[in-house]
Amino acid sequence: MRAYQDMVFSTAVRLTGNPAQAEDISQEVFLRAYESFDNLRASPKVGGWLKTVATNLTLNHLTRHRKRWRLFSEVFSDDSREEEIESAAGVFDNVLGELETDERRARVEQALERLPDHQRVPLVLYHYEEMPYQDIADRLGISLAKVKTDILRGRVAMAGLLAPSGLGAPNARRRSPSTPSGAQT
Amino acid sequence: MSSRDPSDEKLERLVSQVLRDQPLRPAPASLEARVLGELAARARLPWWRRAIASWPAAVRIPVIAVCAVCVPLVWILSLWLAGRLVSLATHPSVAKPIATVWDTGRTIAALGTITAHIIQSIPREWLFGGFIATAALYGVLFALAAAGYSLLCPRPGYSKAHLT
């Protein structure tokens, strides 16, 4: 368990953005692993099995909020302008490079946690779990176009939170999806 | 933003790089204790309160066998019971009450049809007026009853002096 607990917890916390919920989900993952212990003991794929179960349980947990999440996803149109995207790229390219490793790590974690669910979940599935857009759309029950929009807006919003005036700025918490990049301009 | 342009691709590449460089987040120290505690609590449960897959084979196999036998048994029993009910229904001592129930049902249905016809023949304004008048009368009745109750049966111990 010790060998995999960080991986399982990280998978859950990146998707939920909530350490307490992630701990509950991690506990459930290991209890299920214990139930399948005879099959998993000798399997070389135990890490993959745990990651899959952690991802599925977390997504099932988030499904409870699906209606609200889908509503937000449908309501806000994609109005990310090119200069916002370039500005966001600048944050990732320059600002983060100037930070110490530990500070950068902490700020990225914080920014990810503060993204709204409908941006964070597809972003994490795409970048961490390396799921294709279509698989994300199928898994979340939203359209392909919305997945792409939410991921793009999530990146821009994350850059807004990571910008020098982002995290810690009073208006940076849970930025509205319609104004994701207001802080970095 | 449906078409991919260089700035999109650059942002995607940078975000991927930043996120994948992130180390795993250490699990809380309490996680292991929580899992072990839950496993211990489950281990303390008697076998019949656990999942059937973890029951002792000496119990599980007979239970599965009994269940397998029960399914066709219930089917056979249901068919036999249905046959018995049909034969009972044709018996004069049972057939007569059943016919009475049927007749009563038909009478009620006929009354319902007649009532529906009568209601349909009444002008709509009269119906609405009747409903409003009935509701108003109920309201007046309720108000009179409430006023009478508060006059005749005042609640003890809740005077203004007590409240202040």
Side-chain angles (χ1 to χ4, degrees), chain B residues 118-135:
Chain B
I118 291 168
I119 289 171
Q120 279 171 5
S121 65
I122 297 171
R124 194 170 288 177
E125 294 77 15
W126 285 31
L127 275 177
F128 283 136
F131 282 130
I132 290 165
T134 308

Side-chain angles (χ1 to χ4, degrees), chain A residues 17-31:
Chain A
N18 182 318
Q21 288 174 8
E23 191 176 354
D24 290 345
I25 292 164
S26 303
Q27 179 185 346
E28 184 59 31
V29 171
F30 284 111
L31 291 174

Side-chain angles (χ1 to χ4, degrees), chain A residues 10 23 27 78 113 126-127, chain B residues 1 12 16 25 27 30 34:
Chain A
S10 295
E23 191 176 354
Q27 179 185 346
D78 176 23
E113 278 183 14
Y126 185 78
H127 286 293
Chain B
M1 204 48 64
E12 179 182 330
S16 277
R25 279 186 66 167
S30 57
R34 279 182 60 177

Side-chain angles (χ1 to χ4, degrees), chain B residues 154-164:
Chain B
R155 281 189 294 175
Y158 282 93
S159 65
K160 278 184 182 174
H162 280 91
L163 291 172
T164 53

Side-chain angles (χ1 to χ4, degrees), chain A residues 87-88 90-92 95-96 99 107 111 156-169 172 175 180-185:
Chain A
S87 174
V91 170
F92 283 99
V95 178
L96 286 179
L99 299 173
R107 288 183 71 144
V156 174
M158 207 175 157
L161 291 164
L162 288 167
S165 57
L167 287 171
R175 195 175 306 283
S181 57
Q184 89 270 7
T185 50

Side-chain angles (χ1 to χ4, degrees), chain A residues 61-124:
Chain A
H61 170 83
L62 292 167
T63 301
R64 292 172 199 163
H65 308 288
R66 177 70 59 81
K67 278 182 185 171
R68 186 181 58 187
W69 168 10
R70 189 181 290 173
L71 178 70
F72 276 118
S73 180
E74 300 293 336
V75 164
F76 293 107
S77 61
D78 176 23
D79 57 354
S80 297
R81 296 186 302 274
E82 190 157 344
E83 60 265 31
E84 287 179 326
I85 294 167
E86 282 175 7
S87 174
V91 170
F92 283 99
D93 205 11
N94 305 320
V95 178
L96 286 179
E98 294 165 4
L99 299 173
E100 294 292 322
T101 310
D102 286 345
E103 193 185 346
R104 185 172 62 229
R105 183 185 302 171
R107 288 183 71 144
V108 170
E109 278 174 8
Q110 266 186 297
L112 204 56
E113 278 183 14
R114 288 181 184 185
L115 285 181
D117 285 354
H118 70 277
Q119 289 176 353
R120 187 184 57 255
V121 173
L123 190 78
V124 168

